[in-house]
Amino acid sequence: MYMAYGWPQVIPLEQGLCPSSQKHIIYFKVINRLFLVVSPTHLELWSSSQHKVRLGKYKRNAESLEREGENLQAVWRPDTKLIAILTSSFFLHIFKVQFSDKRIQIGGKQPSGLFLANVSLLLSEQVPFADKDLTVSNFVSDNKHLLLGLSNGSLYSISWKGEFYGAFELDPCSRDSSDASVSPHSLGNGVASGMAPTDSVSNHNITRKTAIVQLELCLLMRLLFVLYFDGQLVSCSISKKGLKQVEYIKAEKKLGSGDAVCISVASDQQILAVGTRRGVVKLYDLAESASLIRTVSLCDWGYSVDDTGPVSCIAWTPDYSAFAVGWKLRGLTVWSVSGCRLMSTIRQIGLSSVSSPKVKPNQDRKYEPLMNGTSLMQWDEYGYRLYVIEEGSLERVIAFSFGKCCLSRGVSGMTYVCQVIYGEDRLLVVQSEDTDELKFLHLNLPVSYISQNWPVQHVAASKDGMHLAVAGLHGLILYDIRLKKWRVFGDITQEQKIQCKGLLWLGKIVVVCNYIDSSNTEAGESGNSDFRFISLISEELGFMWPFLYGTSHSWYELLFYPRYHLDQSSLLCRKPLLAKPMVMDVYQDHILVTYRPFDVHIFHVRLLGELTPSSTPDLQLSTVRELSIMTAKSHPAAMRFIPEQRELASNNHISSSDSMDREPARCLILRTNGELSLLDLDDGRERELTDSVELFWVTCGQSEEKTSLIEEVSWLDYGHRGMQVWYPSPGADPFMQEDFLQLDPELEFDREAYPLGLLPNAGVVVCVSQRMSFSACTEFPCFEPSSQAQTILHCLLRHLLQRDKKEEALRLAQLSAEKPHFSHCLEWLLFTVFDAEISRQNANKNQISVPKHAGNRSLLEKTCDLIRNFSEYFDVVVSVARKTDGRHWADLFSAAGRSTE
């Protein structure tokens, strides 16, 4: 989840030595904390790290521009060492980027780590095109070769050494290009679902003479996408050696509906985003025969293609969980994969408005950003900045700041009780003392830490949400929310030895997944570390230690620190890991670590002694379970223990005094493709539950407070359907898929509100959405994340009444009676139950009525009996009656009481 905050930053660009006929930047790319801007007459290389500094530039003189033409297309080699530029007269320029030893001093005592770059011209050759009247597409490249699309429908291959291999044409689709089907879970956002069948593809051959306007290369999937001027889109397979063997580039199938204007690929999720002339973006599942997943647009917000124009560019976030969409005429928007609108530069209007709001030209500079449209954009490597170039602009780059919250994903734990969005140097924490008005607290990290360890990499909250662990490039710091105090390493040398790759909370202990690169340590320390590592891991692997001693130069380990002291002297335990962990989780005294491809290890933690500064406790870690699962499914993005437990006899790793130990028996798995499944840790069986899930929270057994309102819920998940609530089955097996009760779509949030977490004592879901505030003294508005609470109490009460748990429902309602939203929840509960009763009666109208037994009370009667215990009863019944057809009042009052009352 990504949310914009603060004012956009403007990065000024220099002007070339000569005026240009082109009024736009031709190339923009962010790689490895650097970004490259290529204009028609010069190029600039900038730092995209904490300090935005121009590191190097190359300006062409008037003679060069007249002889060889202005810059037309460019590409930056993935290793950032070379830059290729094609001019309007078809001269190929190859530049070399070399960093000098001149360090840039930013300010302060510590060096910045930035060095000036020297950009020099290595080669200038005219490309021997057969036809001089060609137009060209963008470049794509690997570290050896470049590929260029031509207006005659052919591709042209060049090496980075300046060798021209010539043009070649794509073969027609050799395979049967089956129609791009619509996936069963496809969903339109702002586009009528009836439009989906237009995405079917004919089996006609590719029109060779149509101009190629865009190429998109995905080396991970070994695919090349070719976009033609007429909107046709073709996917091509490439060799495992990349672009070297052009004879292996084969056209596979046609995609889309013939109106594509730009494309972008999310390689990890295997999703293709296609922008269209109608201003709509379509998402295709490349793992499922390129079926249409869903469409997103601004139609429901009152904007049509007449306002925004066609899509001009699409940029995925580094983790591929969201994507930014820029339009030719106006603005940009960021969407989540599930279709939630996370951020938009276009002014907010109501969903009910049918007119397209226009911004008046005389509004005293209170303009929205990118009023002239979006030309190019790129995310930085961490997803904290979105760099954008406005249409027709040569003077500046606009940088939007983003905070993110990687809920229930990866190797860092995040409790749902504490809602945190983290930016590059700060935390945005939801203050939830008063659920009537949730507010964001901007928590700036200590300058002494973040200036040396920028940016924030991992954040984890303790189970009660009162302590935060934050890790930057090195080390970690802790924050006590009650005391409002930070805790840091006293010894900076110890801090710099930690490269945190994941964080977990184990009660009052913070668990750090640390990466050690022995090549970066001093010789003596490296030898001692290697010896200590071999000594520890030999206990686990036995005969493998000689092999490891001879070849291992880096490894991963778990470090256990008490939250009261960050120091080597207080380190409770150091546990070497077999490989880089893919996902981790913790529940009570058990830790789950999963390695690629799918090896699950579960450790039991035993603490001997008191965890206090005055004592010296001993922490013991033992392996209690190992699973190696063979599957062809996508990799797990997150795994969480299910607190439903079974009792196990003690094993040899634990002393005999522990006669019985409790170990989690199941866990939930969220895969990178959005599939949610349940894994039995005994036999390794996996049961699929649902798909298209973006995040989930396990809620059962998590709260130790008696006032929790969600103990009856097993877990919740969120995706394009909204939020689904999962309840345990009353049967023998509480986790049988067919016995799960899922909520109907009453928890489908507004498509601009994204759930961050839960407040179990209030029975509400905390959501975040974007707001903009305008000021007369600034050119751009300030982006402000806004939190809001959405109750789920009515859903929980209905669930209990359906299962005849009247006493539990009454107790839950009494716990909530003082909440500000209580009356609304009762009204919503009665309305939904009554509406379902009316629908049931209409469905059974033509069927033979079955006599009702006196003991079988309807759900409507049970609901009225429950609400009757509260003083709001009459107001609730009258309010529901006013919202329903008078023809059905008799059914309502037969259960609720006399209407005259």
Side-chain angles (χ1 to χ4, degrees):
M1 190 284 299
Y2 291 76
M3 189 63 59
Y5 68 89
W7 284 274
Q9 178 185 3
V10 174
I11 302 173
L13 300 177
E14 289 191 3
Q15 298 303 303
L17 298 176
C18 304
S20 169
S21 60
Q22 302 180 64
K23 299 301 180 183
H24 63 274
I25 300 296
I26 67 165
Y27 183 76
F28 184 68
K29 186 70 174 179
V30 181
I31 306 178
N32 296 339
R33 294 197 180 194
L34 302 169
F35 71 78
L36 173 68
V37 183
V38 182
S39 76
T41 61
H42 73 289
L43 63 88
E44 297 182 32
L45 185 65
W46 285 72
S47 161
S48 65
S49 60
Q50 185 178 11
H51 304 286
K52 310 300 182 290
V53 181
R54 184 186 294 108
L55 304 177
K57 60 186 177 182
Y58 186 96
K59 292 187 175 183
R60 295 176 58 197
N61 55 37
E63 182 183 352
S64 170
L65 292 170
E66 184 179 356
R67 183 180 68 252
E68 299 172 346
E70 295 180 351
N71 299 334
L72 187 63
Q73 295 291 345
V75 67
W76 200 4
R77 202 164 79 171
D79 63 6
T80 70
K81 294 180 179 179
L82 297 176
I83 302 168
I85 296 179
L86 184 69
T87 69
S88 57
S89 298
F90 299 141
F91 278 83
L92 179 69
H93 293 173
I94 295 183
F95 297 89
K96 182 179 181 180
V97 179
Q98 197 167 14
F99 287 93
S100 68
D101 55 358
K102 295 181 180 178
R103 188 187 297 269
I104 298 176
Q105 191 68 28
I106 302 297
K109 298 179 180 179
Q110 299 295 329
S112 66
L114 298 176
F115 296 87
L116 290 176
N118 181 36
V119 182
S120 57
L121 181 64
L122 283 184
L123 178 144
S124 177
E125 292 285 345
Q126 189 165 21
V127 184
F129 289 135
D131 185 357
K132 300 302 181 182
D133 295 328
L134 290 171
T135 58
V136 296
S137 75
N138 63 304
F139 281 107
V140 291
S141 81
D142 53 24
N143 282 329
K144 297 291 185 182
H145 296 82
L146 308 94
L147 208 60
L148 190 67
L150 306 180
S151 56
N152 61 9
S154 61
L155 299 171
Y156 199 93
S157 177
I158 307 171
S159 78
W160 277 103
K161 295 179 181 180
E163 301 165 327
F164 303 111
Y165 296 119
F168 65 96
E169 292 188 352
L170 284 174
D171 290 333
C173 295
S174 55
R175 301 183 182 180
D176 180 22
S177 303
S178 56
D179 291 357
S181 59
V182 180
S183 70
H185 54 271
S186 65
L187 178 75
N189 180 6
V191 179
S193 59
M195 296 177 67
T198 64
D199 287 83
S200 61
V201 180
S202 66
N203 293 329
H204 297 161
N205 291 340
I206 303 169
T207 306
R208 298 188 183 185
K209 297 302 180 182
T210 304
I212 296 175
V213 294
Q214 186 185 348
L215 299 176
E216 181 80 4
L217 178 64
C218 182
L219 290 172
L220 185 64
M221 301 176 64
R222 288 162 56 181
L223 288 176
L224 173 69
F225 296 91
V226 182
L227 177 60
Y228 292 87
F229 178 77
D230 60 1
Q232 291 188 74
L233 177 60
V234 177
S235 67
C236 307
S237 59
I238 63 174
S239 164
K240 62 182 180 181
K241 295 183 179 181
L243 299 177
K244 180 179 180 180
Q245 299 170 313
V246 295
E247 65 272 15
Y248 288 102
I249 300 178
K250 302 293 183 183
E252 298 291 336
K253 65 169 59 178
K254 292 172 62 176
L255 306 171
S257 54
D259 61 347
V261 289
C262 66
I263 52 177
S264 185
V265 181
S267 55
D268 285 4
Q269 272 77 359
Q270 299 187 36
I271 296 176
L272 174 67
V274 179
T276 68
R277 294 189 179 97
R278 295 178 288 111
V280 173
V281 176
K282 300 180 179 181
L283 302 181
Y284 293 92
D285 188 350
L286 297 176
E288 296 290 338
S289 302
S291 57
L292 177 66
I293 302 174
R294 67 184 58 89
T295 61
V296 295
S297 76
L298 291 176
C299 292
D300 282 348
W301 283 269
Y303 295 95
S304 67
V305 67
D306 295 332
D307 306 300
T308 63
V311 177
S312 61
C313 50
I314 302 172
W316 287 91
T317 57
D319 61 359
Y320 303 112
S321 64
F323 57 96
V325 179
W327 285 275
K328 186 74 174 177
L329 299 182
R330 182 182 178 186
L332 72 83
T333 297
V334 178
W335 309 85
S336 72
V337 173
S338 61
C340 180
R341 196 189 74 166
L342 303 175
M343 173 266 194
S344 183
T345 63
I346 302 177
R347 290 193 169 191
Q348 176 70 51
I349 61 168
L351 291 178
S352 59
S353 176
V354 295
S355 62
S356 298
K358 304 287 186 181
V359 176
K360 297 178 181 179
N362 56 350
Q363 288 186 308
D364 299 329
R365 295 180 61 83
K366 295 183 182 180
Y367 298 129
E368 65 187 35
L370 307 172
M371 275 295 295
N372 295 323
T374 304
S375 174
L376 299 167
M377 58 185 174
Q378 283 271 304
W379 293 90
D380 72 3
E381 60 182 307
Y382 303 105
Y384 290 129
R385 294 280 179 141
L386 177 61
Y387 297 99
V388 184
I389 295 177
E390 192 168 11
E391 189 71 38
S393 173
L394 289 169
E395 297 82 22
R396 63 185 185 178
V397 177
I398 302 174
F400 295 89
S401 297
F402 278 81
K404 58 184 180 180
C405 186
C406 300
L407 293 160
S408 65
R409 287 181 177 267
V411 290
S412 294
M414 179 62 72
T415 176
Y416 58 80
V417 177
C418 182
Q419 298 85 42
V420 181
I421 297 175
Y422 53 97
E424 59 184 354
D425 59 357
R426 72 192 65 202
L427 305 179
L428 282 69
V429 184
V430 176
Q431 298 288 90
S432 56
E433 288 85 358
D434 181 7
T435 57
D436 226 0
E437 186 179 0
L438 303 176
K439 294 182 179 180
F440 271 107
L441 169 68
H442 283 249
L443 191 62
N444 290 309
L445 271 63
V447 175
S448 59
Y449 175 78
I450 196 62
S451 62
Q452 301 303 313
N453 300 291
W454 181 93
V456 173
Q457 303 264 15
H458 300 277
V459 178
S462 60
K463 186 176 180 180
D464 61 1
M466 289 294 104
H467 294 84
L468 300 174
V470 184
L473 198 61
H474 294 280
L476 72 148
I477 55 177
L478 307 179
Y479 184 72
D480 189 321
I481 292 180
R482 288 193 185 97
L483 300 179
K484 299 181 180 180
K485 289 186 177 181
W486 290 98
R487 187 178 299 279
V488 301
F489 273 92
D491 188 344
I492 194 171
T493 59
Q494 295 182 19
E495 175 184 273
Q496 293 302 304
K497 290 179 182 179
I498 296 177
Q499 295 187 56
C500 180
K501 302 301 180 182
L503 286 171
L504 294 172
W505 280 93
L506 184 71
K508 298 179 180 180
I509 300 171
V510 60
V511 184
V512 182
C513 176
N514 183 34
Y515 172 70
I516 296 180
D517 185 357
S518 61
S519 62
N520 292 336
T521 60
E522 295 180 7
E525 294 175 347
S526 177
N528 293 334
S529 300
D530 287 342
F531 179 77
R532 181 170 61 250
F533 168 67
I534 297 306
S535 301
L536 288 168
I537 205 167
S538 61
E539 299 174 7
E540 299 285 337
L541 303 180
F543 66 90
M544 290 183 65
W545 76 265
F547 169 76
L548 289 169
Y549 184 79
T551 60
S552 177
H553 293 287
S554 61
W555 63 88
Y556 293 84
E557 63 181 1
L558 295 181
L559 304 177
F560 295 77
Y561 287 99
R563 76 183 185 198
Y564 58 75
H565 195 205
L566 292 178
D567 191 83
Q568 186 69 27
S569 62
S570 299
L571 183 65
L572 300 173
C573 181
R574 183 190 299 268
K575 174 67 176 178
L577 299 178
L578 301 182
K580 180 181 179 179
M582 187 165 46
V583 293
M584 298 195 308
D585 188 36
V586 63
Y587 177 70
Q588 292 183 351
D589 53 0
H590 287 87
I591 297 177
L592 178 146
V593 179
T594 303
Y595 310 103
R596 287 181 182 268
F598 199 173
D599 295 330
V600 181
H601 288 216
I602 299 176
F603 303 105
H604 178 255
V605 181
R606 187 182 182 194
L607 186 65
L608 303 177
E610 295 184 6
L611 194 64
T612 60
S614 59
S615 61
T616 55
D618 180 33
L619 189 145
Q620 298 177 354
L621 211 63
S622 56
T623 304
V624 295
R625 184 164 297 275
E626 296 182 5
L627 288 174
S628 185
I629 301 174
M630 303 296 292
T631 178
K633 297 180 179 180
S634 59
H635 293 297
M639 296 176 68
R640 293 288 180 264
F641 281 127
I642 302 296
E644 183 271 337
Q645 297 175 331
R646 53 172 168 73
E647 293 191 346
L648 294 176
S650 62
N651 53 56
N652 296 330
H653 295 281
I654 304 174
S655 62
S656 58
S657 60
D658 293 323
S659 57
M660 303 295 287
D661 184 37
R662 302 176 69 84
E663 179 187 340
R666 297 175 174 87
C667 70
L668 275 180
I669 302 174
L670 176 62
R671 299 187 179 275
T672 54
N673 63 354
E675 178 186 294
L676 188 67
S677 58
L678 188 69
L679 176 66
D680 191 309
L681 294 173
D682 280 334
D683 54 22
R685 287 187 304 164
E686 188 177 343
R687 299 173 185 170
E688 294 185 13
L689 299 176
T690 186
D691 58 11
S692 297
V693 172
E694 200 165 321
L695 60 94
F696 71 94
W697 302 296
V698 175
T699 53
C700 57
Q702 297 290 325
S703 178
E704 299 174 355
E705 301 184 30
K706 296 181 180 179
T707 56
S708 173
L709 306 183
I710 57 174
E711 273 301 302
E712 285 290 325
V713 177
S714 295
W715 59 79
L716 302 95
D717 71 61
Y718 172 78
H720 74 81
R721 304 179 186 90
M723 183 163 283
Q724 297 182 111
V725 181
W726 296 76
Y727 302 103
S729 161
D733 187 347
F735 294 100
M736 287 294 291
Q737 177 183 354
E738 57 268 22
D739 290 334
F740 269 105
L741 295 179
Q742 298 182 39
L743 227 54
D744 9 42
E746 293 168 23
L747 282 176
E748 183 178 348
F749 303 148
D750 293 339
R751 289 192 300 277
E752 56 198 32
Y754 195 93
L756 275 184
L758 304 170
L759 298 180
N761 296 341
V764 299
V765 177
V766 178
C767 300
V768 61
S769 58
Q770 175 208 286
R771 294 291 181 267
M772 286 193 296
S773 62
F774 292 83
S775 172
C777 60
T778 59
E779 177 184 1
F780 296 131
C782 179
F783 291 85
E784 301 173 348
S786 174
S787 55
Q788 53 186 280
Q790 178 156 335
T791 179
I792 59 171
L793 176 63
H794 61 288
C795 307
L796 305 179
L797 292 174
R798 189 181 64 183
H799 157 68
L800 292 172
L801 293 174
Q802 284 175 328
R803 298 192 172 190
D804 281 330
K805 294 186 176 183
K806 302 175 186 177
E807 294 181 2
E808 290 88 342
L810 178 59
R811 187 162 59 248
L812 179 62
Q814 289 171 341
L815 286 172
S816 311
E818 301 301 321
K819 306 298 180 183
H821 57 267
F822 181 65
S823 178
H824 172 71
C825 288
L826 295 182
E827 180 183 329
W828 191 234
L829 168 67
L830 181 58
F831 178 81
T832 53
V833 170
F834 183 45
D835 187 61
E837 178 70 15
I838 295 173
S839 301
R840 184 187 62 80
Q841 291 179 4
N842 292 336
N844 298 335
K845 187 179 299 183
N846 298 326
Q847 299 181 4
I848 300 175
S849 60
V850 180
K852 179 182 175 182
H853 297 286
N856 294 337
R857 296 179 62 79
S858 67
L859 182 59
L860 180 60
E861 293 171 324
K862 296 176 186 176
T863 303
C864 291
D865 290 343
L866 172 68
I867 303 176
R868 201 175 271 117
N869 291 282
F870 301 94
S871 59
E872 294 90 346
Y873 179 65
F874 290 128
D875 291 335
V876 167
V877 175
V878 170
S879 180
V880 170
R882 285 172 174 167
K883 296 176 181 177
T884 55
D885 194 326
R887 293 175 299 174
H888 302 293
W889 282 4
D891 297 315
L892 174 63
F893 292 114
S894 66
R898 296 171 54 189
S899 60
T900 54
E901 296 182 18

